[in-house]
Amino acid sequence: MLIVLEGLAAVVVLVVAFLVARAVFHRPQLGVLLLAAFVPLNGLLAILPLPGFVAGWKEGLVIFTLGSAWIGRSRALGPRRPTLLMPWWPAAALFVVFGTASALLSFGVIGFVGIKVTFFYLLLVAILWLAPFDARDRDHLVSILMGMGAFTSLVGIAQLLAGPAALVAIGYEYGTQVRTSGGLLRTFSTFNLPFPFGLYVMLSLLVGGAVALANPMRRRNLLFLCASPFMVVAMSSAIVRAALLGLAVGLIYMTIIRFRALGGLLVIMAALVGAILPFVPKITSVFFSSSSLNERGGRWNEVIEKVRTHWLGEGLGSSGAAADRISSAQGENITGSLGLSTNYQPDNYYVKTALELGPIGLWAVLALLVTALIWCTRLSRTLPGQDGALTLGVGASIVAAMFASLVATYFEIFPIDVYFWLLLGVVGCAAAQHESFSGPSPSVPAAAASRRTSVSS
């Protein structure tokens, strides 16, 4: 009976894949939107009776969408291709070139594992260059972020109510997906771990919140604003400090740049949290464990001290998730010249980058983040309507990423890496459309010019 069910599941998967492939071939933008919609559900593969090859659906969809965009590039209409409007691309190019050389020189052909983990979803920017999003596509993406953020939050709260035993009973593994901290269940929703769940909801709150606050009278936006409080609760139930830190600094950024009224709300929220925490000592001890911070700081100091004598690092893929995959492929663990196992799991992305690529790689990452943030901040003040609000939300997500990377390997966490590159590409599409007078809406450039004039005055 089980074999029959698996066979039926395989047939259904193949039929769905064919229908999706046909639609994506004719309009590659649909492939990007489908990826954005379904990557938050990837963790469900752990309990669904689907064939093993389904696990590679993400990579397959990206490669097929890229091929479709390349084939159809000559018939692509609409906004101007955004590459030259992205000032962060030189830093990204340095990061890719230096990282690729480092991985191949350190590990040979198997180094492509580290390259894939670090740079694969940069292909989304290439797709959006060949097949740019129009205004409707960007609106659909915002709806996806809002809807999936709210949906995954509901699932997270349901897990909190159900408890660990119920989750193990439906097929999740205790110690893998099901984890506890201080006796509290760390919810993971439809993801494979609490970390991507907390960070994804953070991302949804920042990007979706920026768009919703810019036009709160639209029904979708109003519903999202009403759902935001329980989304914060769900995010907190994952017990991911990086998500809480990122949300806080992202909201501060949005307050400073555009939504000054948020300042009073943030003060009220901080006061409520400060008043409640002393009466919930269990939660306080979990979130503010000094022993955890001291342990991290000691390890960072040890790594940084060793990096001082190895200016080119240990090689891309010598730590973190990539190291696990390289070790599995090689069938052994290798200790590098730093005296650290390739399976070392850092909890700071800057330390990880310095360990793997040295000061040059760290400089490239910082330059990428800073230039992307400045770019988004400038565009958020010049682009009109929803595109300006979307760009503000992306800028807030970059600020959040910069701070979250202090306590997590942010850009190595799936699907956060997907959304980082995707959102940068989408902002480039918006900027290109409003800078080009050949776009589908002649009034848009005039509105953008008017907006820029009013801001400069």
Side-chain angles (χ1 to χ4, degrees):
M1 184 64 180
L2 181 60
I3 296 177
V4 173
L5 290 176
E6 290 180 349
L8 289 175
V11 171
V12 170
V13 167
L14 291 175
V15 171
V16 171
F18 171 76
L19 296 175
V20 169
R22 186 172 63 176
V24 170
F25 181 79
H26 292 291
R27 194 167 194 278
Q29 293 89 339
L30 179 60
V32 179
L33 291 174
L34 288 173
L35 181 74
F38 287 101
V39 286
L41 305 179
N42 189 68
L44 295 176
L45 293 178
I47 59 173
L48 292 178
L50 294 174
F53 66 85
V54 176
W57 72 270
K58 312 171 293 298
E59 294 83 357
L61 179 59
V62 170
I63 292 173
F64 181 81
T65 303
L66 178 61
S68 300
W70 174 262
I71 293 172
R73 69 191 184 281
S74 60
R75 66 173 184 267
L77 301 175
R80 186 172 59 187
R81 289 172 180 169
T83 301
L84 296 179
L85 298 174
M86 297 181 177
W88 49 265
W89 73 262
L94 174 62
F95 185 31
V96 171
V97 171
F98 188 71
T100 299
S102 173
L104 295 179
L105 291 174
S106 299
F107 300 103
V109 177
I110 201 67
F112 278 107
V113 174
I115 296 171
K116 185 264 180 183
V117 170
T118 308
F119 302 123
F120 181 77
Y121 292 105
L122 182 57
L123 293 176
L124 292 171
V125 178
I127 293 172
L128 292 174
W129 179 75
L130 294 168
F133 270 11
D134 58 22
R136 180 174 294 182
D137 293 322
R138 296 193 293 274
D139 189 61
H140 288 333
L141 178 63
V142 172
S143 297
I144 288 170
L145 258 176
M146 289 180 173
M148 292 307 297
F151 173 73
T152 55
S153 296
L154 280 174
V155 175
I157 291 177
Q159 289 178 343
L160 194 64
L161 297 175
L167 297 175
V168 172
I170 64 174
Y172 289 115
E173 294 184 9
Y174 191 86
T176 303
Q177 295 92 9
V178 182
R179 303 184 179 194
T180 59
S181 180
L184 299 174
L185 172 66
R186 302 184 64 180
T187 58
F188 55 93
S189 186
T190 58
F191 300 81
N192 62 335
L193 290 171
F195 306 101
F197 171 44
L199 293 171
Y200 180 78
V201 176
M202 175 204 78
L203 189 68
S204 175
L205 286 167
L206 291 175
V207 178
V211 174
L213 288 170
N215 183 15
M217 300 309 296
R218 183 177 174 180
R219 182 182 302 177
R220 178 200 68 181
N221 297 347
L222 181 59
L223 290 174
F224 181 79
L225 291 175
C226 292
S228 295
F230 85 77
M231 292 175 64
V232 174
V233 173
M235 183 192 75
S236 302
S237 69
I239 313 179
V240 178
R241 298 176 183 87
L244 294 172
L245 176 62
L247 180 63
V249 297
L251 290 175
I252 293 172
Y253 167 84
M254 289 167 55
T255 301
I256 295 172
I257 300 301
R258 185 166 179 176
F259 299 115
R260 302 298 171 84
L262 272 179
L265 179 61
L266 291 177
V267 172
I268 295 174
M269 290 175 59
L272 288 174
V273 171
I276 293 173
L277 283 180
F279 299 97
V280 194
K282 196 170 188 179
I283 295 178
T284 305
S285 63
V286 169
F287 275 102
F288 302 102
S289 171
S290 60
S291 60
S292 175
L293 183 59
N294 291 335
E295 181 181 348
R296 292 183 181 193
R299 191 56 168 163
W300 297 344
N301 292 334
E302 177 185 348
V303 172
I304 293 173
E305 183 63 29
K306 292 179 179 179
V307 168
R308 291 175 60 186
T309 58
H310 298 79
W311 288 93
L312 296 180
E314 279 286 88
L316 185 74
S318 60
S319 64
D324 288 338
R325 300 184 189 184
I326 290 175
S327 296
S328 298
Q330 292 177 328
E332 60 182 352
N333 294 335
I334 300 176
T335 300
S337 60
L338 295 184
L340 297 172
S341 169
T342 55
N343 289 33
Y344 169 56
Q345 302 293 325
D347 48 18
N348 179 308
Y349 193 77
Y350 304 118
V351 170
K352 169 185 167 59
T353 304
L355 176 64
E356 294 185 344
L357 300 177
I360 296 176
L362 180 59
W363 181 88
V365 170
L366 291 174
L368 167 62
L369 293 173
V370 171
T371 53
L373 175 60
I374 294 173
W375 177 60
C376 288
T377 302
R378 177 178 58 84
L379 290 176
S380 70
R381 291 168 169 164
T382 58
L383 295 182
Q386 179 171 295
D387 282 331
L390 171 60
T391 303
L392 177 70
V394 176
S397 73
I398 295 174
V399 173
M402 295 171 74
F403 279 83
S405 294
L406 293 171
V407 291
T409 53
Y410 185 88
F411 298 102
E412 200 177 54
I413 298 175
F414 178 86
I416 306 305
D417 54 342
V418 175
Y419 273 95
F420 175 76
W421 296 113
L422 171 58
L423 290 172
L424 284 184
V426 168
V427 170
C429 293
Q433 178 174 335
H434 291 294
E435 289 291 333
S436 174
F437 284 86
S438 61
S441 176
S443 62
V444 170
S450 175
R451 177 72 174 275
R452 286 192 296 270
T453 302
S454 63
V455 170
S456 62
S457 62

